[in-house]
Amino acid sequence: MEKFNKHTGLVAPLDIANVDTDQIIPKQFLQKTERVGFGVHLFHDSRYLDSAGKKPNPEFVLNKPQYQGASILLARENFGCGSSREHAPWALEEFGFKVIIAPSFADIFYGNCINIGLLPIKLSENEIEQLFQKSAQGDLTLDIDLPNNTVSCGELSFSFSLSKFQQYSLEEGVDSVGWTLNKLDIIEAFEAKMPAWQ
Amino acid sequence: MANGLTMYEKLWQNHLVEDKAGETPLLYVDRHLIHEVTSPQAFANLRFQNRPVRHPERTIATMDHNISTRSIEINAAGEGAANQLRALEKNCKEFGIKLFGMGHKNQGIVHVMGPELGLTLPGTIIVCGDSHTATHGAFGALAFGIGTSEVEHVFATQTLRQNKAKTMKIEVKGQVGAGISAKDIVLAIIGKTGSAGATGYVVEYCGEAIEALSMEERMTVCNMSIEFGAKAGLIAPDKTTFDYVEGKEYAPKGEVFAQAVADWKQLKSDDDAVFDSVITLEAKDIKAQVTWGTTPGQVISIDGVVPAPEDFSDPIEKESCVNALKYMDLTAGTKITDISVNKVFIGSCTNSRIEDLRAAANVVEKFVAKGHQVVSTVDAIIVPGSYRVKEQAEDEGLDQIFMDAGFEWRLPGCSMCLGMNDDVLGEGDRCASTSNRNFEGRQGRGSRTHLVSPEMAAAAALTGHFVDLNA
């Protein structure tokens, strides 16, 4: 996993609540055995007017000229709800997003983002509203500082938090499986004490 | 004196391998269920890192998500699906994992298969790369969906890192009225909490109405925990649970079973346990439920009408209502019983077990006695949850009741719940579905889903619209 430190990028505002992972990456694109090839299908049903994905929908935020190259997605409450498919954060990451900012995330999606190095940032409803308003006034570029836990733009600055280990994992690009494999003795000791039925 | 513990806290403590300052707590995973869609990348990474599956005997695989419901041929659901199914075969063989593949007597939807084989046990932690893993919480197991990176972590270590969730108690007091199903209970709960009402929580369902449920019904309730954001849903194991588990193929036997039951009886929340949140419903107030919108929380009683945006004070709910009415092509004020459907799907990990099929067949028989058949404008399919369910249903003659009435009787699989195979709705189709998600495009681009109980779905097939079966 790549290390995450600081990032400055353009914001794309997705002003919809309860965006589910079926919307982020519809099921017909889950039939891959590789970890790549999902970005092109991100938000497929809203992004394209046709099923084949040839005709971009000009009304969809990611197709608008001013948001080309966006790397920060600004979203509403309960982002990433529904299916546990990690394909959703894979698609967002492959499309070019490094950061997702929302007032709340679905639990599984949030964990999946951390596990692949995509930074999910929770801000208050009020702070999110300010960012949406600022974005509506013209291109909004945000500075994300993970070590200092801040999202800022000029005089505007908000702070966010992650659990200690999640913060460390993102900053250091920790191989979480390798990390746990270093503790095999502890796991084996636990197993030795388990009841027979377990 | 310290307060007592909730069931979740007991399960947590029993599985805590390490809780070190500065690290996310490490939990032991007893059982790992896998399927073809969310596992291939995890296997690929193991191979890349040259890591083995640490306890292959603790993982069980099946094929369910993208298989055909018309044929047991691996190629029948298209090339992409066949590639994933073959990859699963190859991976299971290479890493020594038991697989119930195409046509195997134990094959089925992963959350139907686990319980009926006794792979699902109270007091365990069960994970699967599928959000409806919460189903297994019906047994008093801490069960939740995980992403593919976590699937890999479980493969390699048999553990998982999890932050502790908050606890929510949902008590359904008293007894439900006649004809009210477990699906109606859970949809009513979601209607009350909203689609994200339990995000960050593990929910425990309790109360007389929950205790009265069979294991199949409890699974329906716990299955939909994720639909209001809960990490997991739990029901305290009791005699109903132990009787169900005893004698199942993979369940412990003899003295080990007796010891297990003794341990499982300790799991229920202590009387003085404190929950972070408590929600109470009166069972007698719960009526048959139908979703009208595009999240499971957009649900209303069968005797109600489609709501209007003005009915919501919260601006986001108002906006969501506007969008949902547009997508669903519904007009506010329309009676729910006046909504016509042209597709009916009875199946999915929510409602494809034997009791679901019996309940649907019972409704079918009543309507057939009155001269009804599946309406000519409606396509109705029934997809049993597993080969065991299919066989049981056929032994009881349920398949014949359905087929005689004009339903299609299919082979087991996830099918139209998510439409990864060819069981997909077309643009503008309106479906009465016993599944768990009514998201935009879930069952097919531009299609419209109404989540209902098996009884309601059967009635909709035979009349062409939703019916108040208690009216």
Side-chain angles (χ1 to χ4, degrees):
Chain A
M1 196 168 88
E2 271 183 48
K3 294 182 181 184
F4 195 114
N5 191 273
K6 292 180 181 178
H7 176 76
T8 298
L10 176 67
V11 171
L14 183 68
D15 197 359
I16 308 169
N18 299 310
V19 171
D20 58 74
T21 53
D22 277 83
Q23 283 170 263
I24 297 173
I25 181 87
K27 71 266 177 178
Q28 64 268 37
F29 306 111
L30 304 184
Q31 291 184 335
K32 289 185 199 303
T33 55
E34 308 83 33
R35 202 188 163 295
V36 292
F38 300 103
V40 65
H41 305 302
L42 178 70
F43 292 116
H44 182 276
D45 289 3
S46 352
R47 194 167 143 204
Y48 302 106
L49 295 168
D50 61 329
S51 294
K54 303 281 185 211
K55 292 182 217 153
N57 173 8
E59 297 300 314
F60 185 61
V61 58
L62 298 184
N63 290 332
K64 292 186 176 170
Q66 66 267 41
Y67 301 121
Q68 298 311 298
S71 60
I72 300 171
L73 187 66
L74 179 63
R76 292 289 186 185
E77 65 182 35
N78 198 26
F79 188 81
C81 60
S83 156
S84 62
R85 58 188 72 164
E86 197 166 302
H87 311 67
W90 291 342
L92 288 160
E93 183 200 37
E94 197 177 313
F95 182 85
F97 288 112
K98 305 274 185 210
V99 181
I100 318 287
I101 305 177
S104 58
F105 294 90
D107 289 334
I108 305 176
F109 177 85
Y110 184 86
N112 287 343
C113 287
I114 301 270
N115 287 334
I116 70 162
L118 180 63
L119 175 60
I121 294 179
K122 283 184 220 175
L123 295 180
S124 71
E125 296 273 2
N126 177 279
E127 290 163 344
I128 293 286
E129 189 52 43
Q130 290 183 54
L131 291 179
F132 268 103
Q133 284 177 13
K134 223 165 163 51
S135 171
Q137 290 158 11
D139 291 358
L140 172 63
T141 298
L142 289 176
D143 296 315
I144 312 294
D145 183 334
L146 179 58
N148 288 307
N149 294 116
T150 56
V151 174
S152 55
C153 163
E155 288 176 3
L156 207 61
S157 184
F158 303 132
S159 60
F160 62 93
S161 68
L162 292 165
S163 81
K164 213 166 176 180
F165 192 63
Q166 289 175 333
Q167 170 109 11
Y168 176 78
S169 297
L170 285 168
E171 284 183 31
E172 297 301 322
V174 168
D175 162 20
S176 64
V177 174
W179 185 276
T180 303
L181 282 174
N182 285 330
K183 298 170 180 283
L184 273 187
D185 52 335
I186 300 173
I187 301 172
E188 282 165 4
F190 179 90
E191 286 172 331
K193 285 192 249 169
M194 281 165 42
W197 59 264
Q198 197 180 346
Chain B
M1 208 178 85
N3 286 312
L5 297 176
T6 64
M7 181 163 35
Y8 170 63
E9 287 158 344
K10 292 181 186 184
L11 287 161
W12 178 273
Q13 281 193 353
N14 291 348
H15 289 84
L16 192 59
V17 174
E18 190 190 38
D19 190 7
K20 191 178 168 187
E23 293 189 23
T24 306
L26 191 65
L27 297 178
Y28 197 76
V29 173
D30 301 297
R31 181 71 66 199
H32 187 195
L33 304 172
I34 63 169
H35 59 86
E36 71 274 19
V37 178
T38 57
S39 64
Q41 294 87 352
F43 280 117
N45 227 21
L46 282 184
R47 208 175 278 121
F48 178 73
Q49 301 276 2
N50 201 21
R51 289 169 176 158
V53 172
R54 192 158 169 271
H55 277 296
E57 78 285 1
R58 289 186 178 273
T59 296
I60 300 281
T62 193
M63 296 173 171
D64 59 1
H65 274 62
N66 63 23
I67 58 174
S68 169
T69 57
R70 300 168 198 267
S71 162
I72 61 163
E73 288 302 315
I74 221 164
N75 291 314
E79 197 186 332
N83 281 343
Q84 278 191 332
L85 296 168
R86 286 210 186 84
L88 185 64
E89 279 182 341
K90 178 173 167 282
N91 288 328
C92 287
K93 200 170 170 194
E94 181 182 336
F95 289 92
I97 291 166
K98 193 187 289 291
L99 165 68
F100 301 134
M102 298 305 295
H104 191 285
K105 70 174 169 50
N106 289 345
Q107 187 191 5
I109 302 175
V110 65
H111 310 308
V112 176
M113 174 202 78
E116 70 187 8
L117 294 180
L119 293 165
T120 301
L121 298 178
T124 56
I125 287 189
I126 301 174
V127 298
C128 173
D130 186 281
S131 59
H132 293 109
T133 307
T135 310
H136 309 265
F139 291 78
L142 179 59
F144 51 91
I146 57 177
T148 299
S149 295
E150 293 176 309
V151 169
E152 183 190 342
H153 194 279
V154 176
F155 277 156
T157 70
Q158 205 56 43
T159 64
L160 205 54
R161 289 193 185 280
Q162 290 287 309
N163 285 311
K164 202 165 181 183
K166 291 179 281 184
T167 55
M168 180 184 288
K169 176 162 100 168
I170 297 183
E171 185 175 5
V172 187
K173 290 187 165 173
Q175 293 173 340
V176 290
I180 298 304
S181 72
K183 185 66 161 285
D184 299 315
I185 295 176
V186 70
L187 282 173
I189 290 170
I190 301 171
K192 189 174 168 99
T193 62
S195 294
T199 301
Y201 290 87
V202 165
V203 166
E204 181 176 338
Y205 304 95
C206 62
E208 202 183 338
I210 299 295
E211 288 164 19
L213 299 175
S214 69
M215 287 317 296
E216 280 86 350
E217 292 170 321
R218 292 179 188 187
M219 285 188 253
T220 299
V221 171
C222 287
N223 173 275
M224 291 194 73
S225 302
I226 184 74
E227 307 313 334
F228 57 116
K231 179 84 190 173
L234 292 169
I235 294 175
D238 57 11
K239 187 170 182 305
T240 304
T241 322
F242 309 142
D243 288 349
Y244 179 99
V245 172
E246 188 169 16
K248 292 278 187 287
E249 192 169 333
Y250 290 91
K253 308 281 186 312
E255 276 180 34
V256 181
F257 183 76
Q259 182 57 52
V261 170
D263 289 350
W264 297 340
K265 283 181 176 168
Q266 310 300 317
L267 287 169
K268 67 177 185 213
S269 292
D270 295 331
D271 292 340
D272 57 346
V274 176
F275 290 82
D276 296 307
S277 174
V278 177
I279 288 176
T280 307
L281 284 84
E282 295 293 336
K284 63 176 168 41
D285 298 339
I286 298 175
K287 295 175 180 167
Q289 304 284 304
V290 179
T291 63
W292 54 268
T294 54
T295 74
Q298 289 174 322
V299 64
I300 198 156
S301 298
I302 182 67
D303 57 357
V305 298
V306 174
E310 304 84 75
D311 297 340
F312 300 92
S313 51
D314 178 78
I316 289 179
E317 281 187 51
K318 200 184 281 277
E319 173 80 13
S320 294
C321 177
V322 171
N323 293 336
L325 293 183
K326 186 175 168 211
Y327 183 83
M328 295 296 289
D329 191 27
L330 289 172
T331 308
T334 305
K335 280 182 172 176
I336 297 299
T337 49
D338 285 345
I339 298 173
S340 298
V341 300
N342 68 330
K343 304 280 173 181
V344 171
F345 169 58
I346 298 179
S348 87
C349 58
T350 314
N351 280 131
S352 65
R353 296 180 182 83
I354 189 67
E355 288 191 359
D356 299 313
L357 302 186
R358 284 179 193 145
N362 186 32
V363 170
V364 171
E365 280 189 309
K366 283 182 183 158
F367 275 84
V368 167
K370 288 189 274 181
H372 288 272
Q373 286 278 296
V374 170
V375 175
S376 62
T377 50
V378 173
D379 296 320
I381 65 170
I382 307 217
V383 183
S386 70
Y387 276 88
R388 289 189 177 227
V389 170
K390 179 172 177 285
E391 192 184 326
Q392 174 79 31
E394 289 172 356
D395 285 349
E396 295 179 19
L398 305 183
D399 58 325
Q400 211 54 52
I401 294 170
F402 291 128
M403 287 189 288
D404 288 349
F407 289 85
E408 277 185 62
W409 178 248
R410 298 285 189 86
L411 300 176
C414 296
S415 181
M416 199 179 275
C417 172
L418 82 168
M420 271 196 78
N421 64 358
D422 55 349
D423 300 332
V424 184
L425 295 179
E427 184 115 20
D429 277 345
R430 187 180 296 281
C431 183
S433 179
T434 66
S435 56
N436 40 57
R437 289 194 174 128
N438 50 345
F439 297 158
E440 287 186 20
R442 168 82 175 179
Q443 296 189 294
R445 186 176 176 140
S447 68
R448 299 165 184 136
T449 302
H450 296 274
L451 302 177
V452 294
S453 68
E455 293 91 328
M456 181 69 75
L462 295 156
T463 62
H465 56 86
F466 297 116
V467 180
D468 189 348
L469 293 166
N470 281 336

